[in-house]
Amino acid sequence: MAPAQPKPPRRGALAVECGLLALAGVLQTLAFHRTEAWLLPLLATALLAWRVQHASPRRAALLGLVFGTAWLASSVWWLFISMHRYGHLPAWLAALAMFALCAALSLYLAAAMALAARWRSQQPIAQATLFAASWLLAEWARTALFTGFPWAGSGYAQVDSPLAALAPWLGVLGIGAAAAWLSALLAQSRRHPMAGALAIVVLVALALLPRIEFSRPGRTLGVSLVQTNVAQDEKFAAERLPETLQWLAGALDAARGELIVAPETAVPLLPDQLQELTPGYWPTLVARFDRADQAALIGVPLGDYARGYSNSVVGLTARAGEAPPYRYDKVHLVPFGEFIPTGFRWFTELMNIPLGDFMRGPRNAPSFAFRGERIAPNICYEDLFGDELALRFAEPATAPTMFANISNIGWFGDTIAVAQHLNISRLRSLEFQRPMLRATNTGATAVIDHQGRVTASLPPFTRGVLEASVQGRTGITPYAWWAARSGDWPWLVLGIGVLAFSAARSARAARDARP
């Protein structure tokens, strides 16, 4: 039987429908920083799935665009702060740029919903699978294309839900697709009560099933995580910089942990520039850790005009002879922050922010080895890209035993971005079953164990040092194994395969319905 065609919409119905879906998109955002509200995104997406199932492809595309734009705009509105407060863009232009970015990224969801409507099925599981595959392709595109911006990916809202059990198997994209599949089943509950019952059974089963430990415990390491709490507009201010550097040096000296971690650009100047401002500062830091009892990972820019510059982490510890210190250079650079996309220099010149084109580090960087542990740094939003972190697990013998996220999100003020980034790191810990150390400028500075639980933290927007302990882990999760070899490309193949099957089935049904 050919799929039933939607009825023409009544006058005024479209405006009401778009309003409801915009509200659903906004409400979905709540669970990205208040993760106990994990059911809300399932219900919001169920509303979208229900309306798409009864819409024409063109109408479904509009609904997807409205839902996606409201979802992203309410999730990343803090970009306005970085452009207006710190970049000094006019408020109207900063708001317009933020909204345009969210709308452009939502075009993926718009296209996905059009395909889900075009090849709809009257069979509940087939329709749910088609919706989930379309949703998956939209999220894959947002993650992978044009350097990717997967912030507020739907899987992050499920870090405390039963679906979190899928993390070491499927990763965040798989969790998002599973959530979309359940939402689509819930959307069909009125006509097919068993579809809604199946969704509930799956959630209960995932909640009750025991979590499998793919990783094994290692040694316990004492850590000191530094939170500098420097306002972004004061970070490079000449009148404040000496006091900031003095406090950092004192905090590093007083730290009791075996491993000390300081945030992204905790030292905001190149070593040569430091020498001019505070002679001997950098050599003193290097000498401070040139002994076996402590080590430090410190965020600092490196490079020079001739070779280029990098956003880096330097590892300081006892060195054999004249061996250079450990160095990690950021790989996944931020558009408009660390490199200028082609054709957009005019836009960056409107902002009063020191932007430039940084060098990228190697994609599969070695870990920092200390006391038998292998600590893998990642800088700022690099922990959004699980497929890139998975590359470090290609060789089990050199795989990280823990991660260290070194961030500065002071650009975004006292906003939901702090909690969102913490939950992103928690999801990475679940995927790889590795602890994550977070040393940040303004928060959230925390220790996350291999099960995604925050075991110690500092209050955001305070200055201090978090003294805690962390247990390294060895072993490989299924997700780490397959993502290290193929990245997230299997999701693209799976999504396209489901859509191709749905298109063929729909075409066959249309042929059979002809007289």
Side-chain angles (χ1 to χ4, degrees), residues 162-163 166 178 181-182 185 195-209:
L163 288 169
L166 299 176
W181 187 75
L182 294 174
L185 288 177
L198 176 60
I200 294 172
V201 167
V202 171
L203 283 172
V204 171
L206 288 173
L208 295 179
L209 286 175

Side-chain angles (χ1 to χ4, degrees), residues 183-256:
S183 294
L185 288 177
L186 292 172
Q188 301 175 80
S189 297
R190 184 176 178 183
R191 293 180 57 190
H192 304 280
M194 291 304 296
L198 176 60
I200 294 172
V201 167
V202 171
L203 283 172
V204 171
L206 288 173
L208 295 179
L209 286 175
R211 305 287 178 93
I212 300 176
E213 292 276 351
F214 294 101
S215 63
R216 300 177 298 276
R219 74 182 304 277
T220 298
L221 196 66
V223 296
S224 301
L225 308 181
V226 180
Q227 184 167 281
T228 44
N229 195 37
V230 179
Q232 193 58 43
D233 52 359
E234 298 177 356
K235 194 168 182 67
F236 301 96
E239 64 274 14
R240 293 297 305 274
L241 194 52
E243 187 275 333
T244 299
L245 291 171
Q246 182 180 7
W247 183 89
L248 176 64
L252 294 174
D253 272 336
R256 302 190 302 271

Side-chain angles (χ1 to χ4, degrees), residues 154-166:
S154 58
Y156 294 113
Q158 303 300 319
V159 69
D160 285 320
S161 85
L163 288 169
L166 299 176

Side-chain angles (χ1 to χ4, degrees), residues 52-386:
V52 164
Q53 190 174 357
H54 297 87
S56 66
R58 179 176 296 181
R59 188 182 180 100
L62 176 61
L63 298 179
L65 180 65
V66 169
F67 181 91
T69 303
W71 164 17
L72 291 180
S74 58
S75 296
V76 302
W77 60 268
W78 34 260
L79 291 172
F80 170 86
I81 295 175
S82 63
M83 292 185 285
H84 174 57
R85 181 187 301 175
Y86 300 121
H88 303 293
L89 277 184
W92 69 268
L93 183 56
L96 179 63
M98 187 276 297
F99 184 82
L101 172 66
C102 295
L105 292 173
S106 297
L107 291 174
Y108 301 132
L109 188 60
M113 294 302 97
L115 295 178
R118 180 179 179 83
W119 297 320
R120 66 171 56 85
S121 172
Q122 298 304 306
Q123 299 296 324
I125 292 181
Q127 176 61 21
T129 303
L130 171 61
F131 181 85
S134 303
W135 182 278
L136 171 63
L137 288 175
E139 294 221 283
W140 181 91
R142 189 154 68 88
T143 298
L145 300 183
F146 307 112
T147 82
F149 186 65
W151 199 284
S154 58
Y156 294 113
Q158 303 300 319
V159 69
D160 285 320
S161 85
L163 288 169
L166 299 176
W169 298 89
L170 304 179
V172 70
L173 284 178
I175 293 175
W181 187 75
L182 294 174
S183 294
L185 288 177
L186 292 172
Q188 301 175 80
S189 297
R190 184 176 178 183
R191 293 180 57 190
H192 304 280
M194 291 304 296
L198 176 60
I200 294 172
V201 167
V202 171
L203 283 172
V204 171
L206 288 173
L208 295 179
L209 286 175
R211 305 287 178 93
I212 300 176
E213 292 276 351
F214 294 101
S215 63
R216 300 177 298 276
R219 74 182 304 277
T220 298
L221 196 66
V223 296
S224 301
L225 308 181
V226 180
Q227 184 167 281
T228 44
N229 195 37
V230 179
Q232 193 58 43
D233 52 359
E234 298 177 356
K235 194 168 182 67
F236 301 96
E239 64 274 14
R240 293 297 305 274
L241 194 52
E243 187 275 333
T244 299
L245 291 171
Q246 182 180 7
W247 183 89
L248 176 64
L252 294 174
D253 272 336
R256 302 190 302 271
E258 299 165 87
L259 174 68
I260 306 167
V261 188
E264 178 184 10
T265 58
V267 177
L269 301 179
L270 298 166
D272 289 346
Q273 294 173 318
L274 275 175
Q275 183 64 21
E276 297 176 7
L277 181 67
T278 56
Y281 187 90
W282 187 252
T284 300
L285 277 187
V286 174
R288 154 76 173 80
F289 292 99
D290 193 12
R291 56 179 188 259
D293 60 336
Q294 284 182 310
L297 290 169
I298 301 174
V300 58
L302 295 175
D304 54 44
Y305 181 80
R307 292 174 295 176
Y309 302 97
S310 61
N311 187 355
S312 301
V313 174
V314 170
L316 300 178
T317 187
R319 293 177 290 158
E322 295 301 316
Y326 171 87
R327 171 175 173 174
Y328 171 81
D329 296 335
K330 190 177 182 185
V331 181
H332 206 114
L333 303 179
V334 179
F336 304 105
E338 294 166 325
F339 79 96
I340 302 172
T342 302
F344 282 91
R345 186 168 293 276
W346 65 272
F347 179 75
T348 60
E349 288 176 351
L350 292 174
M351 291 190 287
N352 185 27
I353 295 177
L355 304 172
D357 287 321
F358 282 80
M359 300 183 300
R360 299 179 189 272
R363 281 177 58 83
N364 189 8
S367 298
F368 177 59
F370 178 67
R371 296 277 176 92
E373 299 299 317
R374 296 181 294 274
I375 303 101
N378 54 87
I379 299 176
C380 190
Y381 84 151
E382 283 189 310
D383 63 341
L384 266 169
F385 301 92

Side-chain angles (χ1 to χ4, degrees), residues 473-498:
R473 307 284 295 191
T474 58
I476 305 293
T477 64
Y479 173 74
W481 186 90
W482 64 258
R485 290 155 177 79
S486 58
D488 283 332
W489 287 93
W491 292 127
L492 177 65
V493 174
L494 177 62
I496 291 176
V498 171

